Amino acid sequence: MTEEQYETTPETVELAYLPVVSDATEALRARMRATPAGRLQHAVLLSAGGLLALVLVGSVIGPKGPTVSGTGLWAFGLVLIAGLYLMVPALQGRQVHRMIGPQGEFRAFVDGAGIRVVSRDSETTYRWTMLTRYAETRDLFVALTADRYGIAMVVLPKRGAADPGEVDRLRAALDRYSNRV
């Protein structure tokens, strides 16, 4: 797809990028921080990890003293929770990348109508009424739906901008048409 096939205005910000695994992973982590469901998942995992850490400490310094089986069981549980907390977004990011990576270069057009994303195999238009909020990370903007789960999200890598001024224009457009979370 070429840019000439799309009507653009002076307001349009265009990005061109190849998707990478870290984009998907970072976007999923941003969605986790930005949505109530993601924050709940975050809180549950941290609470479970904290509780397991307390039980582990209690089993080590308790009046009966440490036992190999008890300490090992609680330590394994703590490692499992920590692994889930760290690895789930990374594993999901790899799965997402396996779906979109083969589509080659993506082009995103952001303007007053919404966000259009074009790849070799697809073209999707998201109106601003659907993407009512966004999160910004070090490397991305992640536009999200208003639902509690952030079911749909659009990943806009900052590296796709032609120059740093385009990143500022993109941020301004997102601020104008949606809410930062």
Side-chain angles (χ1 to χ4, degrees), residues 45 52 73-88:
L45 286 174
L52 281 173
L73 178 66
W74 298 120
F76 175 76
L78 187 59
V79 169
L80 182 64
I81 292 292
L84 283 172
Y85 183 76
L86 297 172
M87 294 302 297
V88 166

Side-chain angles (χ1 to χ4, degrees), residues 62-144:
K64 294 182 181 179
T67 64
V68 174
S69 62
T71 303
L73 178 66
W74 298 120
F76 175 76
L78 187 59
V79 169
L80 182 64
I81 292 292
L84 283 172
Y85 183 76
L86 297 172
M87 294 302 297
V88 166
L91 293 172
Q92 289 174 330
R94 286 184 178 278
Q95 289 175 327
V96 169
H97 185 262
R98 275 196 293 263
M99 289 185 301
I100 63 172
Q103 295 184 42
E105 182 180 65
F106 278 68
R107 296 175 82 80
F109 303 88
V110 181
D111 58 23
I115 301 174
R116 287 176 295 166
V117 181
V118 180
S119 72
R120 182 190 70 213
D121 300 329
S122 67
E123 175 181 347
T124 307
T125 300
Y126 302 89
R127 305 272 182 252
W128 290 117
T129 54
M130 182 177 178
L131 300 173
T132 58
R133 57 199 175 131
Y134 80 96
E136 182 176 358
T137 69
R138 183 180 58 121
D139 299 320
L140 307 171
F141 292 101
V142 183
L144 299 161

